[in-house]
Amino acid sequence: TIMPIKREEVTPETGTSISRSRTQVDWKIPGLQPGYYRMGVALVGGENLQLNAQTTLAVVQEIGGHQRGLFGWTLESGAQQIGPADFAFWLSRLGVSWVKYPCWEPDKLAREELQIVFSKLQDERIQTVGVINQPPSEHVGKFSESGEIVAAEVFRDPETWKDLLAPIMGQFTQKITMWQLGGERDFSFLGLPRLPEQVAEIVEGLEERNGQNIDVTISWPWLEPAAPAAEATWQGTCRSSSPPLSAAELDAFLEQSDSEHAAAGLAGPRTWLLIDPLDAKVYDQQTRIRDLVLRMATARKHRVQAAFVTDPYDPQFGLLRADHRPGELLLPWRTTSLLLGNLRAVGSMRLRSQAMNEVYINAKRAVVLMWADEATEELAYFGDGARMVDVWGRVTPLKTLMVGGQSVQRVPIGPEPVFLIGCDPAVLAFRMSVELGSDRLDSPLGRKEVMNIAFTNPMRESLVGQVRVIPPRSWRVTPPKKNWRLLGGQDADVDFEVVLSNTADIGEYEVEIQFALETNPPELVSVYRKVRVGPAGIDMTIQTRLLSDGRLRAELVINNKTTTSRLYKCFFFP
């Protein structure tokens, strides 16, 4: 849109008439698809004069109602610059389920205003955590002369902090039952000799003047051993590291944490996480989006109660700008939070495209997260109502095609993760249940070997059908198909006989296992599994080289990785 500048004469209070320019443009936003947009305004005059300003806009659509999940933000004091009701609704629409907020306000009026904010957050079903970190400036000298105070210093002298915190706890514990001692990455409690006893004393002091029971959380680095769960007197541990762990590293640390809790046989402190995006000055946008989505998805695979972005307004994170406008990572964070926030991971499917994926479900929904290092596509059936959602929140219906007599849907996959929503949980569960008794055929050519196929009926109703194996041409499988009938939740084991012909090569084969389900209407479902042909522990490769005199040299290299001697006869068939 190009608009000329209109000039108008104005007479200020001084009585001197001056000419100034004012132009207002009413721009009707076109029908924008959901996504993240940058808008620029330029003022151009003369030959060299050009002034520019930019702002951002996020267009969103509903991709599932806000249901309380595990993802949230840690906000700074005074972050709510709009009315409490609008602020809480805004956070809810962005997929924020948890909020950490500093509560050490010395002014009674400020506390009353903050209490209204907490009440509105509660109305939107957003779990609020009170943070006791830096004291107000007028109280800093009572704790330290340096001005930088950590939690262990704040709570060192009960006679000092009890009187100062009594009004805060008395006013806010009606709305807030969960509290964090110290700000994010405040590891000052680490290494204290009497830590369980000291935290218990702090909790007792915070509770004694208001009569309300509270839960407390402390910060702890990932690279330090956690305190024994049996000794903990705190109810949550917020884990973090600098620089942040990758998704694979986070998965390994959380796996170890889950195992430690299971071995102790105790509930122990709940696990909280800091999941801050990668630095925008160091990493490109696609890398940052993929890393953030996969770390959020990893948190959903484990016993994690809440996961926070430390400061969403920090420009290096890219979630929000200082004026509350969206940053480039806001929509990927929102999409992941809304789609995965209250689901649980149940495993992954083996896809023909070899794309990586995770399946998440609850009683009402099933979501598949998919990504790949290189652009590819998957042809499979995920349910009649399946739709694809990209990280920007754009929803695309999946068209159903007929390929080889069965319904399939085409899903483009690449480095930027995508979500499949509206999937049929029974279809996903059935595909994931199919297992081979062995993924290797080891018998000599011409001899029979058994291929076992196990699967489960994930539905409550009985399921009837046939299963057959569609093998490579060099295999012979008998019988052609087998009938089966399963009650709801029942498992099945079906055996086929496989004979390899003398044209079968060693190596890896893709085997199609086809299920004809006698449903209404009937369905044909294919899953694909990898099978290796050749003796276990034996690798064979052949290398050829044309010699200078025209002869071909062929060399067979056999590597026996087992502890048993093997004897082979070698034949060449030129």
Side-chain angles (χ1 to χ4, degrees), residues 1-3 5 39-45 49-54:
T1 302
I2 301 177
M3 296 287 292
I5 297 177
M39 297 182 294
V41 179
L43 179 66
V44 181
L49 174 64
Q50 181 166 337
L51 303 177
N52 292 286
Q54 284 193 349

Side-chain angles (χ1 to χ4, degrees), residues 350 352 406 427 430-435 453 468 510-515 525-529:
R350 278 166 284 184
R352 197 175 187 187
Q406 59 183 301
V427 170
F430 185 81
R431 293 173 62 89
M432 294 171 63
S433 75
V434 179
E435 297 285 350
I453 301 173
R468 68 186 184 119
E510 183 180 68
V511 177
E512 180 181 357
I513 305 171
Q514 194 176 88
F515 295 87
V525 178
S526 287
V527 298
Y528 297 84
R529 297 293 181 261

Side-chain angles (χ1 to χ4, degrees), residues 157-405:
D157 181 13
E159 299 303 321
T160 302
W161 63 259
K162 281 186 179 182
D163 290 338
L164 296 177
L165 288 175
I168 285 87
M169 301 304 295
Q171 191 158 1
F172 290 141
T173 48
Q174 296 290 335
K175 296 294 182 184
I176 301 176
T177 59
M178 306 180 73
W179 295 81
Q180 179 167 299
L181 307 182
E184 303 295 29
R185 297 184 176 86
D186 181 344
F187 304 133
S188 57
F189 287 109
L190 183 67
L192 293 183
R194 295 178 53 253
L195 180 58
E197 292 82 359
Q198 287 180 299
V199 173
E201 292 167 1
I202 293 171
V203 173
E204 183 180 353
L206 293 173
E207 293 177 343
E208 68 180 15
R209 299 195 185 184
N210 58 76
Q212 298 286 333
N213 292 328
I214 63 172
D215 292 345
V216 299
T217 299
I218 62 175
S219 296
W220 206 274
W222 271 122
L223 300 182
E224 292 290 339
E231 300 177 7
T233 54
W234 50 95
Q235 288 71 45
T237 308
C238 189
R239 309 301 296 270
S240 61
S241 68
S242 294
L245 301 174
S246 68
E249 292 168 335
L250 182 61
D251 191 32
F253 274 93
L254 286 172
E255 187 71 36
Q256 180 180 355
S257 177
D258 292 347
S259 299
E260 290 172 354
H261 280 90
L266 302 168
R270 294 178 289 270
T271 299
W272 292 5
L273 302 177
L274 297 186
I275 301 184
D276 293 334
L278 296 176
D279 192 339
K281 297 178 181 178
V282 179
Y283 298 92
D284 63 81
Q285 178 176 290
Q286 186 181 80
T287 300
R288 297 172 66 231
I289 289 174
R290 175 165 166 169
D291 172 81
L292 177 62
V293 171
L294 294 187
R295 280 194 286 143
M296 293 174 71
T298 299
R300 190 67 276 186
K301 293 167 59 178
H302 297 276
R303 294 177 67 252
V304 175
Q305 186 185 26
F308 297 87
V309 172
T310 302
D311 180 6
Y313 294 94
D314 190 325
Q316 78 171 18
F317 295 159
L319 261 65
L320 293 170
R321 296 170 21 150
D323 59 358
H324 294 276
R325 295 284 182 176
E328 66 272 15
L329 260 63
L330 177 64
L331 289 183
W333 187 93
R334 174 185 184 266
T335 301
T336 309
S337 177
L338 289 176
L339 293 183
L340 301 185
N342 66 339
L343 304 183
R344 60 184 179 88
V346 294
S348 59
M349 295 181 291
R350 278 166 284 184
L351 301 177
R352 197 175 187 187
S353 64
Q354 304 302 306
M356 293 164 281
N357 67 94
E358 293 287 346
V359 180
Y360 300 83
I361 66 169
N362 66 7
K364 298 180 180 179
R365 296 192 298 131
V367 174
V368 183
L369 171 64
M370 309 175 76
W371 72 99
D373 292 331
E374 303 291 339
T376 183
E377 68 175 15
E378 178 67 25
L379 286 174
Y381 179 70
F382 298 97
D384 288 339
R387 293 164 290 161
M388 185 181 75
V389 184
D390 64 16
V391 294
W392 308 106
R394 293 185 288 253
V395 181
T396 305
L398 293 179
K399 294 182 179 179
T400 301
L401 313 172
M402 295 301 295
V403 176

Side-chain angles (χ1 to χ4, degrees), residues 34 55 83 94 121 126 153 162 345 353 374 473 491 507:
T55 188
L94 291 178
L121 291 174
I126 296 176
E153 292 178 338
K162 281 186 179 182
S353 64
E374 303 291 339
R473 292 186 177 182
D491 300 327

Side-chain angles (χ1 to χ4, degrees), residues 430 433-438 441 449-457 463-469 477-486 490-498 511 513-517:
F430 185 81
S433 75
V434 179
E435 297 285 350
L436 295 179
S438 173
L441 297 177
E449 186 159 351
V450 175
M451 174 180 287
N452 175 265
I453 301 173
F455 52 95
T456 301
N457 174 13
L463 195 59
V464 179
Q466 298 84 39
V467 57
R468 68 186 184 119
V469 177
V477 176
T478 55
K481 64 180 180 180
K482 283 199 171 184
N483 298 322
W484 50 267
R485 177 187 297 270
L486 291 176
Q490 191 175 17
D491 300 327
D493 279 288
V494 177
D495 291 335
F496 289 88
E497 288 185 349
V498 179
V511 177
I513 305 171
Q514 194 176 88
F515 295 87
L517 308 179

